[in-house]
Amino acid sequence: MRKKIALHWKIIIGMVLGVLYGLLASRLAWVEFTSDWIKPLGTIFVNLLKLIAVPLVFASLIKGVASLSDISKLSRIGGKTIAIYLISTVIAVSIGLILVNVVKPGDGFDKGSVSKTEQIEEGTNKKIAAAEEVKEEGPLQFLIDIVPTNIFESASNNRNMLQVIFFAILFGIAMVMLPNEKISHVKGFFNGINDIILQIVDMIMISAPYGVFALLAGLVVDFGASAELFIALAKYSATVIVGLLFMIFAVYPFILSVFTKVKYLDFFKGISPAQMLAFSTSSSAATLPVTMERCEEHIGVSEEVSSFVLPLGATINMDGTSLYQAVAAVFIAQAFSIDLDMGQQLTIVLTATLASIGAAAVPGAGMVMLVIVLGAIGVPTEGLALIFGVDRLLDMLRTVVNVTGDATVATVVASSEGQIREVAEEELMS
Ligand code: ASP
């Protein structure tokens, strides 16, 4: 019998071929052909993932909350989740700060090596303008933003995931409070929707190797020119990358080994397709349906936990983003020869934590929120131009960490609630 190739291998092959094709296409001047005929396939793939994100979060959260026997369990799981999310983010920022202060990638950095092309200038200005809008809001704006006035409007915009979560929890709680005979049809309806959407995730994942091929081919063709920039910024990029790798290979395995019985290798096998999608799409929100499916079916996290912890995590827990913001802020300060004292470093811990919570789970959002961190410590925002050219690659990597962090916390919460089942070897690999 022919042996089935595991999904993550197929995706890896798709990614490698995509990069190789992109390099070749840049050389052979197939850029237009790639933009016209290859890139759209990647866009369709990401659209499909985004398409099911809102219905999936909605149906699975309602199903999860409605199945709770008492609401106090929800507040316990919620409190625990938010506390662990905050702690992991603070750990990530601290690692970033320690690394950037030890390596000092910005000391003596030759700013002239990053020529300010029009594209960089324009991109930087856009990010600064987007951040200005965020800054003008009052201190309670984030609470106002969670409560929607029109759920259909919230559902139509991927950035409003917290509003969808809020409405789904409200809906689920009301279901728990009503007698069963009144809501049994609604319950059955959402259970059915949930199963259908998970089936759609499986169907979409069949095309994942082709999707990541197209995404990476398009990216390499677009960003081929930034290789020189990458070398100029190698020390900075390396500092961010070392920090991110440390999270994946040291911090999360440590957390899993202390708080759960799940072996890291099994966790890794289970979650790797979601990590690869995070890398290819640079968006935790687009990856969310796959993160949920992998956690439930391949790591064994109960649906009750994953349907609550993961959508929340995709929106508010961004360990990779916060680590990157700490490194980037200090790097820019060093490049501008600004000395940061202890108070300013602590401000970075606070603002990078908040900024990563506020960042939307879409490509490039972390850089917008970096403007706020820079503002808080008095470093010129024009400094963004220095790191703009390498941001996409770092975005891809930090999104992998964001998604892995969410999955780690889901596994920890599920273990502490006794809501994790053992998965068979075949389930891990499929
Ligand atoms: N792209 C990241 C995410 O979606 C956010 C960011 O750091 O830009 O998780």
Side-chain angles (χ1 to χ4, degrees), residues 88-368:
S88 69
T89 305
V90 172
I91 294 176
V93 183
S94 310
I95 291 173
L97 271 185
I98 294 172
L99 272 173
V100 73
N101 279 300
V102 170
V103 180
K104 295 194 172 50
D107 275 6
F109 178 73
D110 174 14
K111 280 185 259 168
S113 59
V114 180
S115 57
K116 274 201 189 173
T117 62
E118 228 170 79
Q119 202 192 353
I120 291 187
E121 193 97 38
E122 198 187 310
T124 309
N125 290 342
K126 263 196 207 147
K127 301 268 175 202
I128 296 177
E132 288 303 328
E133 268 175 39
V134 179
K135 254 199 278 185
E136 270 164 27
E137 297 164 347
L140 286 186
Q141 187 62 38
F142 76 99
L143 274 184
I144 300 177
D145 286 344
I146 293 176
V147 185
T149 51
N150 179 342
I151 190 60
F152 295 102
E153 208 178 290
S154 321
S156 65
N157 183 346
N158 261 332
R159 284 167 193 262
N160 291 336
M161 197 67 95
L162 280 182
Q163 300 185 340
V164 176
I165 295 175
F166 176 83
F167 184 68
I169 292 179
L170 202 63
F171 200 98
I173 291 177
M175 280 169 75
V176 177
M177 292 163 83
L178 284 167
N180 200 31
E181 62 276 10
K182 281 203 168 160
I183 50 133
S184 58
H185 291 309
V186 179
K187 228 180 196 170
F189 174 76
F190 280 112
N191 286 352
I193 295 271
N194 197 44
D195 289 343
I196 293 169
I197 304 232
L198 283 177
Q199 186 60 38
I200 299 181
V201 176
D202 280 342
M203 285 153 61
I204 296 175
M205 284 308 279
I206 297 174
S207 68
Y210 309 100
V212 295
F213 170 86
L215 283 171
L216 289 182
L219 273 181
V220 174
V221 168
D222 281 353
F223 291 95
S226 61
E228 264 169 43
L229 210 58
F230 188 79
I231 293 169
L233 292 169
K235 230 170 150 189
Y236 156 70
S237 311
T239 313
V240 177
I241 293 172
V242 168
L244 295 177
L245 293 178
F246 190 75
M247 290 301 292
I248 294 204
F249 292 108
V251 177
Y252 297 138
F254 177 76
I255 294 177
L256 284 173
S257 72
V258 173
F259 297 105
T260 76
K261 288 203 187 78
V262 178
K263 288 198 217 74
Y264 190 63
L265 209 60
D266 291 347
F267 172 84
F268 208 75
K269 276 184 200 156
I271 200 66
S272 55
Q275 291 175 317
M276 289 168 208
L277 281 194
F279 183 80
S280 312
T281 62
S282 282
S283 167
S284 323
T287 314
L288 180 62
V290 179
T291 319
M292 287 174 73
E293 194 254 2
R294 299 304 299 184
C295 281
E296 284 163 24
E297 287 171 22
H298 304 268
I299 299 177
V301 174
S302 77
E303 203 182 333
E304 198 175 304
V305 168
S306 83
S307 69
F308 175 72
V309 177
L310 292 172
L312 195 67
T315 350
I316 69 165
N317 182 51
M318 297 195 182
D319 298 345
T321 299
S322 63
L323 184 148
Y324 142 84
Q325 284 171 337
V327 176
V330 179
F331 169 74
I332 295 173
Q334 290 168 347
F336 280 86
S337 310
I338 301 172
D339 267 333
L340 299 175
D341 58 26
M342 202 56 202
Q344 281 166 309
Q345 305 260 1
L346 285 176
T347 307
I348 295 180
V349 176
L350 188 72
T351 47
T353 303
L354 293 177
S356 70
I357 292 175
V362 295
M367 197 176 199
V368 172

